[in-house]
C-alpha cells in the first residue's frame, strides 16, 4: 500500500448551493487515514500510529480488505461529537485504561473517502467515483460508518446541521481528485463557531482557586518560522484538565521567553512549543488577538509546525503576508474587518518608481493594480495596469512610510477614495463606475496578456453620443 498525507480544506465564509458540490457533516474529532488489510493501521496527520488507542476500530479488518480510507474518529456524547472526549482517549497510554475507555466511551470511525483499493491508487479519480467505490468496498459496522453526503443543497444542509448543534459542514467539489497534503479550494469547511489550532508557548501563574495550577495558556501561531503572539486562554478547563495540563507544562519549561508584549505578565513561564490546543473564539481583533477564546482540548494528532497564522487571516492574502515583515512595517495585517461593500482607493506610492495603486473591494479583500502613469482622467485614455497581490480591506486607510529594505519601501499616501459600482466583473474584463473626489466616471480594465501575465489596460470609457 502507498502512504498518503491527508487532503485539507480551506474555509468558506458562508454556505452555498451548487449542483457541482456535495455536502456532509463536519465532524469534530481526530483525522486519521486507515490502512486496512489483515491488520489495521490508523495514522494521524502527524503520522502517529493510534490504532492501539482505539482498539475497537480493528473492526475495520472485518469490513474491508486491501483499502486505504480517510475519515474522522469521533466519540459521541448524547449523540454529538465530543472533542475533549476523543482527545482524552488519544492521550491514554496505559493498556488497562485504554480498554476501559473503549468499553465506556467507544469511538466511531466515520469514513468519507477511499484512496486505494487492492494496490491501485484512486486519488486521480473524481470524488463522485471514489464515493461509489467506497460504498462497494466498505461495509458498515458497530464502530465504522460511511459518511452520507448530499448534493447541491449546502445552505439547507448547513442550517439543519446547526439545528442539531453540530459544528458545521464540509463542501466538496464532485469532480475533484484527492490532493494529498494540499489545502485545496476543492474542499471547504463551513463552520458557525470559529476555531483555531494554536501552539502553547507559555502560561501565567494561577491565583486563588488555581494557585496550584496555571492561570492561562499563552498562545501563538507561526508566520513562516516566526511565532506570533495571538493572546491567552483561561477558560474551558475542567479540574482534571488543570491538573493534567499543569504537569505537562512543567515538564516543558524553558528559561528564554518567546514574546515581549506588554500585556503578558512578567512572571509568566515559557515552554517548548510542543502542545497544540484547539481554541474556539468569536473574532480576530485589529491587533491580531483572539477575542473571547475558550480551550476545547489538545490536538495530539497535529504538529506545532503546522499551526499557521493563516488560520486567522483571509486565505486570499497569503501572498500579501509572505512579502511583509510586520515587525518592521506599519502596514495593516488585516483579517479583522468583516465589512462587505464597494469601497475603492487610489494610493500614490513613491517606491523605487513612483506609481499609483488602484484598489477595488471585492470578496473581502482589495483587488489591486499598480498603474505606473496614474489613473486616466480623460475619456479614451489608456494606461498599463499591473495586477499585484490582494490587500486587506484595512489597507484602504493606510498612509505612511514603508521602511527601507521592506517590500514596496517608500511613502504611501491616499490620492483618492470613495465607492464604486461594479457593472461587469469577468476573468478578462472588469467594468465599473468610480465615484470619488478626484476620479469619477465609467472605467474598464481589460486583460492584456500579450504584455505579461498580470498586465491589464485601464481606460476611461468614452461617453456615449
Amino acid at each position: 500500500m502507498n502512504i498518503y498525507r491527508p487532503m485539507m480544506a480551506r474555509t468558506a465564509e458562508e454556505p452555498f448551493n451548487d449542483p457541482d458540490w456535495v455536502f456532509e457533516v463536519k465532524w469534530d474529532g481526530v483525522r486519521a487515514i486507515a490502512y486496512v488489510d489483515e491488520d489495521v493501521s490508523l495514522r494521524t496527520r502527524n503520522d502517529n500510529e493510534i490504532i492501539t488507542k482505539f482498539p475497537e476500530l480493528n473492526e475495520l479488518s472485518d469490513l474491508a480488505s486491501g483499502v486505504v480510507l480517510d475519515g474522522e474518529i469521533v466519540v459521541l456524547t448524547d449523540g454529538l461529537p465530543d472533542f475533549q472526549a476523543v482527545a482524552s482517549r488519544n492521550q491514554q497510554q496505559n493498556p488497562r485504561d485504554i480498554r476501559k475507555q473503549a468499553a465506556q466511551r467507544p469511538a466511531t470511525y466515520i469514513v468519507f473517502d477511499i484512496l486505494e483499493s487492492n494496490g491501485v491508487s484512486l486519488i486521480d479519480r473524481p470524488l463522485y467515483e471514489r464515493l461509489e467505490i467506497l460504498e462497494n468496498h466498505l461495509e458498515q459496522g458497530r464502530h465504522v460508518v460511511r459518511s452520507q453526503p448530499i448534493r447541491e443543497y449546502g445552505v439547507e444542509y448547513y442550517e439543519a446541521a446547526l439545528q442539531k448543534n453540530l459544528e458545521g459542514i464540509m463542501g466538496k467539489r464532485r469532480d475533484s481528485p484527492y490532493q494529498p497534503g494540499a489545502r485545496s479550494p476543492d474542499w471547504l469547511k463551513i463552520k458557525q463557531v470559529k476555531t483555531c489550532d494554536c501552539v502553547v508557548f507559555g502560561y501565567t501563574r494561577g491565583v486563588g482557586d488555581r494557585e496550584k495550577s496555571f492561570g492561562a495558556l499563552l498562545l501563538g501561531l507561526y508566520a513562516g518560522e516566526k511565532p506570533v503572539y495571538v493572546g491567552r486562554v483561561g477558560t474551558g478547563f475542567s479540574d482534571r484538565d488543570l491538573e493534567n495540563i499543569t504537569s505537562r507544562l512543567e515538564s516543558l519549561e524553558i528559561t528564554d521567553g518567546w514574546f515581549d508584549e506588554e500585556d503578558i505578565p512578567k512572571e509568566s513561564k515559557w515552554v517548548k512549543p510542543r502542545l497544540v490546543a484547539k481554541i474556539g473564539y468569536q473574532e480576530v481583533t485589529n491587533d491580531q488577538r483572539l477575542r473571547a477564546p475558550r480551550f476545547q482540548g489538545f490536538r495530539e494528532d497535529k504538529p506545532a509546525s503546522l499551526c499557521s497564522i493563516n488560520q486567522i487571516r483571509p486565505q486570499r492574502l497569503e501572498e500579501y503576508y509572505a512579502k511583509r515583515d510586520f515587525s518592521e512595517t506599519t502596514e495593516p495585517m488585516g483579517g479583522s474587518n468583516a465589512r462587505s461593500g464597494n469601497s475603492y482607493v487610489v494610493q500614490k506610492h513613491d517606491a523605487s518608481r513612483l506609481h499609483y495603486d488602484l484598489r477595488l473591494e471585492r470578496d473581502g479583500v482589495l483587488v489591486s493594480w499598480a498603474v505606473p502613469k496614474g489613473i486616466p482622467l480623460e475619456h479614451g485614455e489608456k494606461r498599463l495596469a499591473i495586477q499585484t497581490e490582494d490587500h486587506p480591506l484595512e489597507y484602504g486607510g493606510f498612509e505612511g512610510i514603508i521602511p527601507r529594505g521592506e517590500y514596496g519601501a517608500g511613502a504611501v499616501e491616499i490620492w483618492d477614495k470613495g465607492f464604486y459600482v461594479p457593472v461587469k466583473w469577468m476573468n478578462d474584463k472588469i467594468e465599473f463606475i468610480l465615484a470619488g473626489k478626484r476620479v469619477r466616471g465609467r472605467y474598464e480594465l481589460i486583460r492584456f496578456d500579450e504584455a505579461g501575465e498580470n498586465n491589464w489596460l485601464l481606460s476611461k470609457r468614452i461617453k456615449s453620443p
Side-chain angles (χ1 to χ4, degrees):
M1 291 182 177
N2 296 304
I3 302 299
Y4 299 90
R5 295 175 61 198
M7 179 175 172
M8 296 175 287
R10 295 195 177 188
T11 300
E13 295 299 324
E14 58 186 18
F16 58 93
N17 291 339
D18 192 320
D20 294 329
W21 289 68
V22 296
F23 302 91
E24 59 192 352
V25 171
K26 184 186 183 305
W27 297 102
D28 196 12
V30 174
R31 180 80 174 275
I33 291 182
Y35 301 83
V36 184
D37 211 346
E38 294 181 2
D39 297 318
V40 176
S41 173
L42 271 178
R43 307 198 76 85
T44 68
R45 286 189 292 183
N46 204 18
D47 202 35
N48 290 328
E49 176 61 71
I50 57 171
I51 188 61
T52 57
K53 307 288 184 68
F54 302 95
E56 64 271 36
L57 299 185
N58 279 302
E59 176 188 52
L60 277 162
S61 62
D62 298 326
L63 305 174
S65 179
V67 297
V68 180
L69 309 171
D70 193 2
E72 194 90 2
I73 303 171
V74 300
V75 172
L76 301 177
T77 300
D78 298 327
L80 294 174
D82 185 337
F83 180 78
Q84 292 205 23
V86 73
S88 175
R89 285 206 54 189
N90 198 28
Q91 294 174 18
Q92 297 292 337
Q93 299 290 338
N94 186 290
R96 182 177 178 181
D97 291 337
I98 290 173
R99 291 193 298 271
K100 182 179 178 181
Q101 288 289 311
Q104 294 180 346
R105 310 209 69 177
T108 300
Y109 186 47
I110 301 172
V111 182
F112 49 70
D113 214 328
I114 183 168
L115 314 185
E116 185 175 311
S117 176
N118 297 319
V120 178
S121 175
L122 305 174
I123 62 175
D124 291 329
R125 301 275 192 97
L127 174 62
Y128 67 86
E129 287 189 13
R130 300 200 307 275
L131 293 178
E132 292 175 358
I133 296 170
L134 175 62
E135 186 171 359
N136 293 327
H137 283 71
L138 175 68
E139 297 181 24
Q140 299 192 99
R142 184 179 179 185
H143 302 291
V144 177
V145 298
R146 293 190 302 269
S147 178
Q148 302 293 328
I150 63 104
R151 184 176 177 180
E152 184 173 355
Y153 297 105
V155 174
E156 294 82 354
Y157 196 67
Y158 174 77
E159 292 172 352
L162 296 190
Q163 289 177 3
K164 297 290 187 181
N165 293 318
L166 294 167
E167 183 183 29
I169 65 173
M170 295 288 299
K172 298 179 180 179
R173 198 183 300 274
R174 291 185 69 245
D175 62 358
S176 61
Y178 192 93
Q179 301 157 54
R183 188 173 297 280
S184 170
D186 291 334
W187 284 16
L188 298 173
K189 51 187 175 183
I190 310 165
K191 302 187 296 182
Q192 182 182 42
V193 178
K194 296 178 181 178
T195 61
C196 179
D197 295 333
C198 297
V199 182
V200 178
F201 283 95
Y203 63 96
T204 64
R205 292 181 180 273
V207 296
D209 293 340
R210 291 197 185 178
E211 186 177 1
K212 295 182 179 180
S213 57
F214 62 92
L217 302 180
L218 303 176
L219 306 173
L221 295 168
Y222 284 106
E225 296 182 355
K226 180 181 178 180
V228 177
Y229 181 62
V230 295
R232 50 183 170 174
V233 60
T235 59
F237 304 100
S238 66
D239 291 340
R240 185 175 180 181
D241 286 334
L242 292 172
E243 181 180 347
N244 292 340
I245 295 172
T246 299
S247 62
R248 297 182 74 178
L249 292 171
E250 291 174 347
S251 69
L252 294 172
E253 282 189 15
I254 58 177
T255 56
D256 293 335
W258 292 100
F259 311 115
D260 58 2
E261 274 71 4
E262 293 181 358
D263 59 331
I264 298 177
K266 300 293 185 183
E267 66 275 11
S268 296
K269 299 288 187 177
W270 303 101
V271 299
K272 298 176 183 177
R274 301 288 187 271
L275 302 178
V276 175
K278 181 178 180 182
I279 305 296
Y281 66 98
Q282 288 184 358
E283 62 181 0
V284 180
T285 64
N286 288 330
D287 56 354
Q288 295 288 284
R289 305 292 174 83
L290 304 182
R291 182 180 178 188
R294 185 175 182 84
F295 177 78
Q296 296 185 356
F298 281 125
R299 300 299 308 254
E300 305 294 341
D301 60 325
K302 185 172 185 178
S305 59
L306 291 183
C307 295
S308 167
I309 192 77
N310 289 338
Q311 292 178 85
I312 62 172
R313 291 172 170 173
Q315 292 179 338
R316 283 184 59 177
L317 298 177
E318 290 176 357
E319 184 178 354
Y320 174 83
Y321 297 129
K323 290 181 174 180
R324 290 161 175 83
D325 181 352
F326 292 100
S327 66
E328 299 292 337
T329 182
T330 58
E331 294 168 282
M333 296 178 72
S336 61
N337 199 330
R339 75 178 188 268
S340 177
N342 292 324
S343 66
Y344 94 93
V345 65
V346 176
Q347 287 161 315
K348 183 179 179 182
H349 191 174
D350 191 4
S352 56
R353 292 184 179 179
L354 176 65
H355 64 275
Y356 292 79
D357 293 310
L358 169 65
R359 311 193 195 280
L360 305 177
E361 180 179 348
R362 179 82 171 179
D363 295 334
V365 299
L366 292 174
V367 184
S368 300
W369 291 263
V371 187
K373 295 186 177 181
I375 309 300
L377 301 178
E378 300 296 328
H379 297 290
E381 275 189 325
K382 295 182 179 180
R383 300 282 171 81
L384 175 67
I386 305 163
Q387 188 168 10
T388 61
E389 74 276 9
D390 295 337
H391 284 53
L393 295 181
E394 292 87 344
Y395 211 99
F398 174 69
E399 291 186 300
I401 305 295
I402 301 174
R404 181 178 299 177
E406 291 300 302
Y407 174 76
V412 177
E413 64 179 86
I414 296 174
W415 185 81
D416 192 33
K417 67 186 304 182
F419 69 91
Y420 79 101
V421 178
V423 177
K424 182 184 299 183
W425 195 296
M426 301 185 298
N427 289 334
D428 57 355
K429 184 177 182 179
I430 304 169
E431 293 184 21
F432 52 97
I433 299 170
L434 292 181
K437 295 180 178 179
R438 291 185 170 185
V439 184
R440 302 183 71 86
R442 186 162 180 154
Y443 284 77
E444 68 178 11
L445 280 158
I446 298 177
R447 191 179 290 276
F448 186 44
D449 287 334
E450 292 84 352
E453 181 181 0
N454 296 317
N455 289 346
W456 297 63
L457 284 179
L458 172 65
S459 63
K460 187 170 187 180
R461 292 283 297 273
I462 299 176
K463 289 183 178 180
S464 301

